[in-house]
Amino acid sequence: QQPVQSPQAVILREGEDAVINCSSSKALYSVHWYRQKHGEAPVFLMILLKGGEQKGHDKISASFNEKKQQSSLYLTASQLSYSGTYFCGTEIRGNKLVFGAGTILRVKS
Amino acid sequence: DTAVSQTPKYLVTQMGNDKSIKCEQNLGHDTMYWYKQDSKKFLKIMFSYNNKELIINETVPNRFSPKSPDKAHLNLHINSLELGDSAVYFCASSRGPRYEQYFGPGTRLTVT
């Protein structure tokens, strides 16, 4: 049931773009994205709901393909502060989130 | 003001002991959660309460027992601690199951 995230890790230079993917083998009601910095708690970025509604962050965008059970997180013009581990959480049913293994993003100056 | 707080931040204890972690949220949320994050950073839900009612109870050993005295508090009691219980435990809250979750700072539990 755990969604699969790709890539596992990515290194960028400041100003570069990145895409993080999340896919599930089950039909999804919603996809959540969180970022966790080392030693800190996960912080909410984005929710994508079945039917197209999005709630999220002003500098980060995401897509949700309900038919393919996939979501992608788009980070544009990356900044040093974007570094961290990105988790997608998928809601299959039962109102619980199952998180992927995470994607480590490191932005270098 | 801290939105979701947990105590203690660090907990070091020996195998076989019983310990509790407390969580409080001042966001007025109806739903609260306990997550376990292991050494590989895998984040797994353990329990969820909605308006003090248990709605999610994952496959967690019976040694773990959550308690929600009111909507703003969710505590986690662990009996007979084992080495494998060592992890970071996060409390979180949200307006409801399909809303963003706000995580507490985490409690790093080390069992020796």
Side-chain angles (χ1 to χ4, degrees):
Chain A
Q1 278 190 346
Q2 183 184 12
V4 176
Q5 286 187 233
S6 63
Q8 287 185 317
V10 59
I11 300 175
L12 300 173
R13 292 207 173 273
E14 272 187 295
E16 292 181 338
D17 302 339
V19 180
I20 300 172
N21 301 303
C22 175
S23 65
S24 172
S25 59
K26 305 277 187 183
L28 302 176
Y29 285 85
S30 67
V31 179
H32 299 219
W33 287 95
Y34 290 80
R35 176 171 61 211
Q36 185 178 28
K37 292 182 181 284
H38 182 69
E40 298 181 7
V43 173
F44 166 75
L45 294 175
M46 190 79 119
I47 286 182
L48 302 110
L49 303 174
K50 194 174 177 179
E53 186 181 352
Q54 291 187 22
K55 308 177 201 176
H57 205 273
D58 55 349
K59 298 220 170 185
I60 294 171
S61 62
S63 64
F64 179 21
N65 186 324
E66 294 171 34
K67 285 186 180 175
K68 292 185 177 179
Q69 293 106 241
Q70 292 174 347
S71 176
S72 294
L73 187 72
Y74 304 97
L75 305 165
T76 55
S78 58
Q79 306 167 18
L80 293 175
S81 62
Y82 284 12
S83 293
T85 302
Y86 289 76
F87 292 98
C88 72
T90 53
E91 182 201 356
I92 299 167
R93 62 185 178 91
N95 297 323
K96 72 172 184 185
L97 286 185
V98 179
F99 283 95
T103 295
I104 299 170
L105 178 74
R106 184 178 161 208
V107 180
K108 300 198 299 185
S109 57
Chain B
D1 271 352
T2 305
V4 182
S5 58
Q6 291 179 232
T7 53
K9 190 164 173 61
Y10 299 97
L11 191 49
V12 181
T13 188
Q14 291 184 328
M15 279 173 49
N17 285 348
D18 304 339
K19 289 293 177 186
S20 291
I21 307 172
K22 295 188 176 182
C23 178
E24 177 181 358
Q25 55 97 2
N26 62 6
L27 297 167
H29 289 165
D30 287 339
T31 308
M32 295 185 73
Y33 312 82
W34 277 113
Y35 287 90
K36 178 181 180 181
Q37 187 170 45
D38 61 23
S39 56
K40 294 183 180 177
K41 304 300 182 189
F42 180 41
L43 195 61
K44 188 175 190 317
I45 190 163
M46 300 172 71
F47 303 103
S48 176
Y49 273 75
N50 189 51
N51 276 321
K52 300 195 302 175
E53 182 185 342
L54 183 65
I55 57 171
I56 294 172
N57 185 354
E58 286 297 283
T59 310
V60 175
N62 289 339
R63 300 181 293 103
F64 290 80
S65 53
K67 281 210 174 100
S68 182
D70 55 58
K71 275 188 357 176
H73 295 86
L74 179 61
N75 303 323
L76 183 66
H77 188 75
I78 316 169
N79 289 327
S80 304
L81 278 155
E82 299 177 359
L83 292 176
D85 297 333
S86 296
V88 179
Y89 292 84
F90 286 103
C91 174
S93 74
S94 69
R95 279 191 285 164
R98 290 212 177 108
Y99 289 84
E100 61 267 31
Q101 296 183 18
Y102 293 82
F103 284 78
T107 295
R108 181 173 293 277
L109 171 66
T110 304
V111 183
T112 62

